Amino acid sequence: VLHTTRPLHTTQQCLAPLPPLPEKGGEVRHGLIPEEFFQFLYPKTGVTGPYMLGTGLLLYFLSKEIYVINHETVAAACILSVIIYGIKKFGSDVAAFADKLNEEKIAKALSVKNEAIKDLETAIEQEKKEQWRVEGRHYLFDAKRNNIAMLLETNYRERLLTVYNEVKKRLDYQVALQNLKRQKEQDHMIQWVEKSVVQSITPQQQKESIAKCILDLKALSKSAQAAV
Amino acid sequence: GPLSERRLMDVRLGELPAWLATCELSPQGLLGGVRKAWSSYYDKYINVKRGGPAGISMLLAGYCLLSYGWSYQRISKISFLVSV
């Protein structure tokens, strides 16, 4: 639960990025006694002071039996000698191995960071390209406008053609209608005239015309005979 | 600076009782002091790029001395009987 009454980020302390670890730890002499102790005693006793102090203390503890010598002392001496021998012999190798592990970790983190930076840079370049593309958008819109104008024109012309065709069809119909009417009238008239003519031929006229035809034929046959 | 703000190493021998009086001896205060000392030891000897045997060897030596001090009574009695 975050108490919102507590002010946040008031101090100058900044937690990121972390300050790098120091290269080497505090100086320690013989692996057990920090260097500050020797520096502390140096002004008063010089260089050999702490060693004298150590020897005196050791002898005092031994003589007063504050430090008793028993089987544990022998065991401790053996263990210490083995440990010191091991450290002296394999110390640098182990240190190099640990350093290599550390290097690998750092290299992996660095590679991740570099990858991220590269990806971001390519993203930036693509952004810039997109911005450049945006400048050419008036070309795009001109082309689109032309397309639309073409479509409109085509549509207009198609409709014009349709209108023309429709009107022509209607006019043709009217013309055909008139022609048909004229023809029908003509036929009817001819039929009516024929019928009336046929009706007007009475039987008496038929006899007279037949007699006249016979006379004409006789005359013709006489002239034909004469010619032959 | 003022007495209460100085660290133990910077306090002179004569001012030691006064300095002990100023620092808070409540459980939280002691715990805070122990935590600060532990973290400062870690930052000095263990949280470094290239440490050596010094970091843990000092802790082990301190543990040896402490355990010897705890079992001194028992050890000083036994050795007399073994020597027979």
Side-chain angles (χ1 to χ4, degrees), chain A residues 20-28 31-36 64-72 87 95 99 102 106, chain B residues 9 43-55 57-62 68 71-72 74-76 78-79 82:
Chain A
L21 292 175
E23 277 291 329
K24 285 180 70 62
E27 279 289 325
V28 170
L32 275 183
I33 308 161
E35 193 68 31
E36 281 85 12
K64 281 278 194 181
E65 283 269 314
I66 296 180
Y67 177 67
V68 294
I69 298 196
N70 48 10
H71 62 286
E72 284 178 10
I87 287 182
D99 283 344
N102 257 359
I106 289 179
Chain B
M9 285 296 147
D43 287 335
K44 185 136 186 240
Y45 292 106
I46 299 189
N47 289 342
V48 292
K49 273 193 205 159
R50 300 180 49 99
S57 74
M58 280 200 281
L59 283 173
L60 286 175
Y68 186 81
S71 51
Y72 178 67
R74 189 163 41 90
I75 290 182
S76 61
I78 287 180
S79 60
V82 163

